[in-house]
Amino acid sequence: MLRPVREGQAFEATLEQLATAVRLGVLPAGSQLPPERELAARLGVSRVTLREAIATLRDLGMVETRRGRGGGSFITYDWAVHDAGSADLAGVTADLEDVLGFRRVVEPGTAYLAASRALPAADRGWLKECLRDVAEASGRDTAEHRQADSRLHLAIAGLSGSASLVEAVSRSRSVLHQLLAAIPVLARNIEHSNADHAAIVDAILSGEPEDARELAEEHCDKTAALLRGLLAHPTTPAPTQPGGTP
């Protein structure tokens, strides 16, 4: 199940694969993660990136790291507790791939169109202001940051010149907000997100539509990786317990 990750989204993709393997019981409770060197080689990432992903799993209560002889990172994930906490999202996560697929088509398209237009000074200033608001909200109130993040994405949609795309992005962001609210805020991911935003805005302001679209696609892929890895899908079967009881 664990395979080399795509370049450019190493942390998010590594976290997705490890969290999914834990959540689906491929790495069952009580088992130990393979040695760092072996696991990093299998995923095609640096040991630094791997350690950051494992540290995030530790913060989420999915693994614990023991020191000394016989030490290492061990799975502590409780499937029943985690799944019960996701019950309220059943209606949304059931259509997770539909939501993520829709977003990956729509939002990069708005970035492409925005970069294709000759934007007046007022619009350029507005876009820069939205970008600054997201960066300044990082590390502060979570709700404030997510609101600023949504404003930036909607601003890009607005600069595409298409009212239909603004409506589509607004609908997409509404569902995405529910999904993101169900997973922890990860500092490393926020750093990546801010860097992505800056690169996308720079491509738009520089009039580079292909670059803007590609950067937006990669940005969407990183968010999708986190959601796939950290959200328990309602259709996921419970691991079988001793005696055959699900």
Side-chain angles (χ1 to χ4, degrees):
M1 181 175 180
L2 300 177
R3 60 195 183 282
V5 304
R6 284 182 56 190
E7 222 176 301
Q9 47 182 284
F11 169 75
E12 288 82 3
T14 298
L15 182 59
E16 175 193 10
Q17 289 201 42
L18 292 178
T20 299
V22 170
R23 183 166 49 75
L24 297 183
V26 176
L27 296 171
S31 66
Q32 183 176 4
L33 287 177
E36 277 188 6
R37 186 184 300 278
E38 175 188 330
L39 194 52
R42 188 184 304 182
L43 292 167
V45 299
S46 70
R47 294 176 73 175
V48 171
T49 295
L50 176 63
R51 286 169 185 160
E52 290 174 338
I54 292 175
T56 298
L57 292 179
R58 190 162 54 245
D59 292 341
L60 296 174
M62 300 181 82
V63 305
E64 68 175 11
T65 300
R66 303 169 191 167
R67 306 297 179 187
R69 177 176 295 182
S73 294
F74 294 82
I75 310 303
T76 56
Y77 177 79
D78 186 331
W79 188 93
V81 172
H82 187 84
D83 186 63
S86 67
D88 292 341
L89 280 172
V92 179
T93 55
D95 299 320
L96 181 62
E97 292 307 319
D98 177 70
V99 172
L100 298 179
F102 180 76
R103 183 192 183 216
R104 196 182 190 278
V105 171
V106 172
E107 293 207 25
T110 65
Y112 178 92
L113 289 177
S116 301
R117 302 177 66 212
L119 300 177
D123 286 349
R124 297 172 69 87
W126 177 47
L127 185 59
K128 291 177 182 178
E129 181 180 336
C130 290
L131 176 64
R132 184 173 61 250
D133 288 346
V134 179
E136 290 179 350
S138 302
R140 299 209 304 254
D141 181 72
T142 300
E144 180 184 350
H145 177 263
R146 285 186 173 142
Q147 288 172 353
D149 185 277
S150 289
R151 282 197 300 272
L152 174 61
H153 285 269
L154 286 168
I156 292 172
L159 295 178
S160 73
S162 169
S164 295
L165 283 176
V166 173
E167 181 182 352
V169 171
S170 179
R171 184 166 67 251
S172 172
R173 297 297 303 183
S174 177
V175 179
L176 189 68
H177 181 81
Q178 295 180 59
L179 296 171
L180 289 173
I183 67 174
V185 176
L186 306 178
R188 179 68 186 274
N189 175 249
I190 295 300
E191 291 175 9
H192 289 175
S193 181
N194 287 342
D196 289 350
H197 289 154
I200 293 167
V201 168
D202 182 64
I204 291 172
L205 295 178
S206 300
E208 299 172 347
E210 290 293 348
D211 287 350
R213 177 166 56 191
E214 290 178 9
L215 290 164
E217 285 176 348
E218 186 172 297
H219 180 62
C220 289
D221 287 344
K222 290 177 182 177
T223 302
L226 288 182
L227 292 173
R228 290 187 182 111
L230 299 182
L231 285 178
H233 296 234
T235 54
T236 301
T240 301
Q241 300 298 323
T245 304

